[in-house]
Amino acid sequence: MNYRERAVKYLATGLKSEKQVRDYLARKEATKEEVDEAIAFLKDLGYLDDVKYARSVFEREYEKGRGKRRTVMYLRDKGLSSSDIEEGFSQLEETYDERKMAQEIASKMEGLDKAKVARRLAQRGFAPQVIYSVLEDYETV
């Protein structure tokens, strides 16, 4: 099996970033030239697109109730550039209401003190200004 086929098979499990594919092929002992050729092949076919990958991850994380900050850190760990991350997010920005999502999460924690709610929202990756905004409306019982 050549490295193109390996890369395609690896992508069959789901979208991956360019860095993930590079790392995978390097683990399979492909040379730099073979990796570069496989990456170019995948990009030509449209199978490898970091902006598309970023958009997909933002959609998935939004559905899980995770904030933008956490998602950005995840994408950086996957090797995406800041410009690819921002472009992927900008394609979803109109549907992505971080404050509304944080309010829904906070409403499920009714009766807890504000500090605990703030920590939980921070763990989910919400920006401090979003957390403060939500806590202004939050009532403890």
Side-chain angles (χ1 to χ4, degrees):
M1 181 180 305
N2 69 34
Y3 292 103
R4 280 183 180 186
E5 291 170 354
R6 283 182 189 237
V8 170
K9 188 174 179 180
Y10 181 60
L11 285 174
T13 63
L15 285 177
K16 305 282 191 254
S17 70
E18 180 179 333
K19 182 183 181 303
Q20 287 176 296
V21 175
R22 284 185 183 281
D23 292 347
Y24 172 78
L25 293 175
R27 284 192 309 271
K28 298 296 181 186
E29 300 177 357
T31 65
K32 183 177 177 352
E33 293 78 25
E34 290 169 327
V35 171
D36 290 342
E37 189 268 329
I39 295 294
F41 172 74
L42 293 171
K43 283 183 174 183
D44 287 345
L45 292 176
Y47 291 160
L48 194 59
D49 182 351
D50 281 352
V51 173
K52 182 178 173 183
Y53 177 73
R55 186 181 65 239
S56 171
V57 170
F58 273 113
E59 287 173 342
R60 183 186 72 217
E61 295 299 291
Y62 181 76
E63 288 173 10
K64 291 181 179 181
R66 296 190 178 136
K68 181 181 177 186
R69 292 179 75 197
R70 181 175 174 168
T71 306
V72 168
M73 288 180 4
Y74 174 82
L75 290 169
R76 284 188 182 141
D77 287 345
K78 297 299 179 189
L80 272 72
S81 69
S82 294
S83 62
D84 287 343
I85 292 170
E86 280 306 312
E87 190 174 335
F89 179 74
S90 70
Q91 294 176 3
L92 297 173
E93 202 163 10
E94 292 188 18
T95 61
Y96 189 84
D97 188 351
E98 196 170 28
R99 187 179 190 291
K100 182 180 175 187
M101 185 181 359
Q103 281 177 316
E104 289 173 4
I105 293 168
S107 70
K108 292 176 185 173
M109 295 185 276
E110 214 172 291
L112 299 178
D113 66 340
K114 287 184 177 185
K116 190 165 194 160
V117 173
R119 283 192 302 272
R120 181 94 35 95
L121 292 174
Q123 287 173 341
R124 287 183 162 258
F126 293 99
Q129 62 270 26
V130 172
I131 295 170
Y132 295 135
S133 172
V134 168
L135 290 181
E136 288 175 4
D137 302 334
Y138 184 76
E139 294 293 326
T140 58
V141 176

